Amino acid sequence: MQKFPENFIFGAATAAYQAEGATKIGNKGKTYWDDYLAEQNVFDPSTASDFYHKYREDLEVCQAFGINGIRISIAWTRIFPNGTGEVNQSGVDYYHELIDTCIKNKVEPFVTLHHFDTPDPLFKLGDWLSQEMVTAFVDFSSFCFKEYGDKVNYWITINEPWSVVAGQYIIGHFPPNKQYDIPKAIQAMHNMMVAHARVVKVYVAGNYHGEIGIVHILESKYPISDKPEDDEAAMQEHVLANQFMLDVTFNGCYSEESLAVVKNILKQNQGELIIREEELEILSDAAQKIDFLGINYYASHFLKAYEGESLIHHNGTGEKGSSIFALKGIGERVSNPKIPTTDWDWPIYPQGLLDMLLYIKEKYPHYKKIYVTENGMGDKDLLTNETVNDDARIEYVRLHLSAILKAVEKGVNVQGYFIWSLMDVFSWTNGYNKRYGLLYVDFDTQKRYAKKSAYWYKKLAETKELL
């Protein structure tokens, strides 16, 4: 039997665009998703899980099931419908009510400021490639701190910078749907880290009582063989997707190793990284002030050397074995026959989470604390007799929680876990056919049904014991 510390947070995660719905209610402005999804005419996010209307019910469920923390995000365009300019008071009031309801139900809100939902007018100016976006994000964040800072103890600046740029410029399944433009991805990552750093400085200067951090998706990278070229491929993708931004997060600068690898990748992809002199001081200052790191972890990857042009096929349907991910100048992700995968070709490898936690402890020993802010298993759940027997999900979560406990035993300061997700939600590229929730959502009626995993998680939260 393994036991968690008494103060450990057993949380659940959501995101505004994926859970709230109400995309045209309360004077909400457009994100870059609205027109794009309407044009595709495949998935409709306008209702999602209707958290906008059902949050009171959902938070009561949290309390009843022992969930004492929740990740929510503030939809930027509910506050500033155009991204900047006029404030929408109905949106301001909504988040006051949501946060108050979290507190009333003894569910600690961890509030994310940017969770994949850039306002459409700022997207058209270049999104994270533009300085206008960076400045607007700092202004939006500053407004939120002043408005909600006396209630919110935990703030997250940006969710998964790597996923944002990979979706927008490498895989091409996020607007503007560019593929293989690695130079734009790298520049956008840098700009996001500058925006994060500026927001951290604003928060600390405001003398707010809470803590502020950032959430990175971190996937361990392994060579598929002992060949030196495969080892180099794994190292290159690790630096690009993990170390490049972790360096800035904790050290406030890019290490010589990271810059050398990134510059080599840029050279092979005909690009360059622009770093402004004034940004270096901002990055350095913020790294000393960040309070926590959030890690989102779902999978790790095995790589081999790759000499061809970039080639990607995103498995968004659950057609097992259809995924392709090969990047020019980096490497190709390949299946490891010893490691099981989900229907979406994501390796189920809890060892990768343990390895990443230990890597951070060793590489960045001055880190303060870590929360695993997302982890969970997407599946094609079936509702039977008003529940879902999701034993595969329970086992997935159990194995990853066991990896966290092993890290804690080795001295890693992990203080909480947030399962993705509280309820079934809208997925950016899968719509509603890939379910993660503890609560099954009938999207026709919006009725919730507790899955078997919800009762398992409740017992875990109550006893702190992992059986």
Side-chain angles (χ1 to χ4, degrees), residues 42 94 124 191 228 232 241 245 251 286-287 294 341 355 360 459 462:
V42 177
Y94 169 74
K124 289 174 178 173
N191 292 354
E232 182 178 8
M245 286 186 290
N251 296 338
T341 62
D355 290 345
I360 290 169
K459 184 176 180 181
E462 289 172 348

Side-chain angles (χ1 to χ4, degrees), residues 220-466:
S220 295
K221 315 292 180 179
Y222 304 94
I224 193 62
S225 78
D226 57 4
K227 295 178 182 176
E229 57 268 34
D230 292 346
D231 189 63
E232 182 178 8
M235 179 274 296
Q236 290 187 131
E237 186 169 318
H238 165 69
V239 170
L240 177 64
N242 299 326
Q243 185 173 298
F244 182 64
M245 286 186 290
L246 285 173
D247 280 350
V248 176
T249 300
F250 292 121
N251 296 338
C253 61
Y254 303 111
S255 66
E256 290 184 7
E257 178 191 26
S258 293
L259 279 178
V261 170
V262 166
K263 286 180 178 178
N264 180 56
I265 293 171
L266 285 168
K267 182 179 179 181
Q268 295 189 61
N269 288 274
Q270 294 78 52
E272 63 175 341
L273 171 62
I274 298 172
I275 302 176
R276 295 171 174 81
E277 190 68 28
E278 64 271 18
E279 294 170 343
L280 298 175
E281 183 177 347
I282 295 169
L283 293 169
S284 177
D285 189 31
Q288 301 170 44
K289 296 171 177 172
I290 188 172
D291 295 301
F292 65 88
L293 171 69
I295 294 178
N296 291 356
Y297 180 86
Y298 294 94
S300 290
H301 298 290
F302 298 85
L303 287 101
K304 70 175 184 179
Y306 181 75
E307 300 295 334
E309 294 296 315
S310 293
L311 180 63
I312 292 175
H313 173 74
H314 173 65
N315 176 2
T317 62
E319 182 185 347
K320 198 164 188 174
S322 64
S323 180
I324 301 170
F325 193 98
L327 290 178
K328 180 180 180 180
I330 301 175
E332 179 183 5
R333 296 177 185 175
V334 293
S335 295
N336 183 334
K338 298 178 182 178
I339 306 301
T341 62
T342 70
D343 286 348
W344 286 265
D345 297 323
W346 293 14
I348 301 173
Y349 197 57
Q351 181 67 37
L353 175 56
L354 174 59
D355 290 345
M356 182 56 67
L357 290 167
L358 294 174
Y359 166 80
I360 290 169
K361 178 178 179 287
E362 180 180 342
K363 182 81 172 179
Y364 310 100
H366 54 288
Y367 83 97
K368 295 177 182 174
K369 60 181 175 180
I370 294 169
Y371 295 95
V372 175
T373 39
E374 282 184 31
N375 174 253
M377 182 178 178
D379 211 345
K380 302 166 183 175
D381 293 345
L382 295 175
L383 184 68
T384 305
N385 297 324
E386 297 195 343
T387 192
V388 175
N389 291 315
D390 53 345
D391 294 301
R393 178 174 292 111
I394 292 171
E395 181 64 7
Y396 176 98
V397 173
R398 188 188 67 79
L399 290 171
H400 285 82
L401 283 168
S402 179
I404 291 170
L405 277 173
K406 290 175 185 175
V408 171
E409 290 167 3
K410 293 178 181 291
V412 184
N413 185 17
V414 184
Q415 295 199 2
Y417 173 91
F418 294 75
I419 192 169
W420 183 267
S421 50
L422 174 58
M423 75 290 283
D424 293 334
V425 297
F426 171 77
S427 172
W428 314 99
T429 61
N430 304 288
Y432 300 100
N433 65 1
K434 187 180 186 184
R435 293 173 179 265
Y436 282 88
L438 292 173
L439 305 177
Y440 182 95
V441 177
D442 181 330
F443 289 106
D444 292 327
T445 65
Q446 289 300 327
K447 188 173 180 180
R448 274 70 161 141
Y449 301 89
K451 301 177 187 177
K452 185 176 180 180
S453 58
Y455 293 100
W456 176 85
Y457 199 62
K458 179 178 187 287
K459 184 176 180 181
L460 172 67
E462 289 172 348
T463 64
K464 308 283 194 300
E465 294 176 357
L466 185 64

